[in-house]
Amino acid sequence: MNANEHASGYGKFPPPPKLSPARAIVLVSGGLDSSTILALAAAKSRMIYALSFDYGQRHAIELAAAKRQAAHHGSAAHQIIDLRQLAPLVADVSALVRDSNLPIPKDRDIGRADQVPSTYVPARNTLFLSYALAWAEAIGAHEIWIGANAVDYSGYPDCRGEFFEAFENAANLGTRFEEQGPRLKLITPLLHLPKHEIIALGTSHGVDYADTVSCYDPTTVDGQRALACRRCDSCRLRRRGFERSGVPDPTNYI
């Protein structure tokens, strides 16, 4: 055992796959923000590995949109992870999962970001990013893209910049990236943009927002098309964003 092996404690640890700066894991929900970062990653000539999650969400219809968006932006692969076992664990505190008896809040004061709403899913972004990290290390990608936003958001603690900085540090410390490099980067291009600027940016990159699902409580038509409720936090943020951007809102509302 050489000095480096002894210091790391790993012994004969196999080298990582050859890293390619063009590879990126992109978290794709099927919503407005994630579709925007798909377009941005494609514009940066990244080889996109799209990653989505079925965690028992009420609005699982978004996954159909995620599939279409991933294909539209030329993803090299698209995986949908089955995390439905999460739903019963958080049902008592999260209205966003189907197992919950809590109602989706409607007509709420979305300016109160200091209040964590019942649509928050405990540790959701931590879980999503952990799966993305595993895939990134396995395929030699050194970027993970996530469409989180800390401006027009609903008070979710895992949408703060401090959280993403901490996760990036932990991700590098807990993987081969730290010692064998280059370091993994967590890309959050929308973090400090208001919704209307995100819409303007995505529109300039050809995002089809008509084929995105933002509503927390949509009505599904023919198993494919979603009619948005208009009144949940996500709908209200989306509507306000389109109004301020000057871009016509293509959303089908009830």
Side-chain angles (χ1 to χ4, degrees), residues 4-56:
N4 289 335
E5 289 172 342
H6 184 273
S8 70
Y10 289 146
K12 292 184 178 180
F13 200 79
K18 184 178 179 180
L19 292 167
S20 169
R23 292 186 177 187
I25 309 297
V26 181
L27 298 186
V28 184
S29 68
L32 184 151
D33 294 336
S34 73
S35 297
T36 302
I37 64 165
L38 264 173
L40 296 180
K44 291 288 187 180
S45 300
R46 297 299 190 262
M47 183 179 293
I48 296 170
Y49 291 79
L51 187 60
S52 305
F53 298 87
D54 181 352
Y55 57 94

Side-chain angles (χ1 to χ4, degrees), residues 86-189:
L86 176 65
L89 300 180
V90 302
D92 289 343
V93 296
S94 179
L96 206 60
V97 297
R98 291 190 295 270
D99 293 354
S100 180
N101 292 321
L102 299 174
I104 296 290
K106 304 287 178 71
D107 305 316
R108 193 176 74 93
D109 181 3
I110 54 178
R112 294 294 304 276
D114 58 312
Q115 295 180 340
V116 179
S118 62
T119 49
Y120 166 65
V121 180
R124 180 176 59 177
N125 278 348
T126 304
L127 287 169
F128 290 1
L129 289 170
S130 295
Y131 274 87
L133 174 61
W135 201 11
E137 188 174 12
I139 67 172
H142 77 287
E143 291 181 352
I144 297 174
W145 292 54
I146 182 170
N149 183 259
V151 179
D152 284 337
Y153 81 122
S154 299
Y156 297 165
D158 58 356
C159 285
R160 295 178 293 191
E162 297 89 341
F163 165 75
F164 296 113
E165 291 174 8
F167 186 92
E168 182 180 284
N169 287 330
N172 280 286
L173 287 171
T175 61
R176 292 175 286 193
F177 291 115
E178 182 72 16
E179 292 194 352
Q180 301 180 5
R183 282 176 58 88
L184 177 88
K185 294 181 180 179
L186 192 54
I187 311 296
T188 56

Side-chain angles (χ1 to χ4, degrees), residues 123-254:
R124 180 176 59 177
N125 278 348
T126 304
L127 287 169
F128 290 1
L129 289 170
S130 295
Y131 274 87
L133 174 61
W135 201 11
E137 188 174 12
I139 67 172
H142 77 287
E143 291 181 352
I144 297 174
W145 292 54
I146 182 170
N149 183 259
V151 179
D152 284 337
Y153 81 122
S154 299
Y156 297 165
D158 58 356
C159 285
R160 295 178 293 191
E162 297 89 341
F163 165 75
F164 296 113
E165 291 174 8
F167 186 92
E168 182 180 284
N169 287 330
N172 280 286
L173 287 171
T175 61
R176 292 175 286 193
F177 291 115
E178 182 72 16
E179 292 194 352
Q180 301 180 5
R183 282 176 58 88
L184 177 88
K185 294 181 180 179
L186 192 54
I187 311 296
T188 56
L190 311 184
L191 192 63
H192 301 295
L193 296 181
K195 192 68 72 180
H196 67 278
E197 291 186 12
I198 294 173
I199 291 170
L201 180 63
T203 299
S204 71
H205 284 78
V207 177
D208 180 11
Y209 287 122
D211 194 20
T212 61
V213 177
S214 298
C215 182
Y216 291 153
D217 193 24
T219 298
T220 303
V221 179
D222 300 328
Q224 291 292 323
R225 190 163 60 95
L227 298 180
C229 76
R230 188 185 294 266
R231 298 170 54 208
C232 69
D233 289 0
S234 189
C235 277
R236 296 179 69 204
L237 286 169
R238 180 180 172 117
R239 287 178 62 204
R240 187 172 69 182
F242 275 106
E243 289 170 359
R244 292 181 177 179
S245 70
V247 176
D249 187 354
T251 311
N252 293 312
Y253 295 103
I254 292 176

Side-chain angles (χ1 to χ4, degrees), residues 54-83:
D54 181 352
Y55 57 94
Q57 63 266 48
R58 291 179 187 265
H59 54 307
I61 186 66
E62 68 177 356
L63 294 174
K67 289 180 181 179
R68 293 189 294 269
Q69 290 289 342
H72 176 72
H73 291 287
S75 298
H78 181 208
Q79 293 287 337
I80 299 178
I81 304 300
D82 186 353
L83 282 183

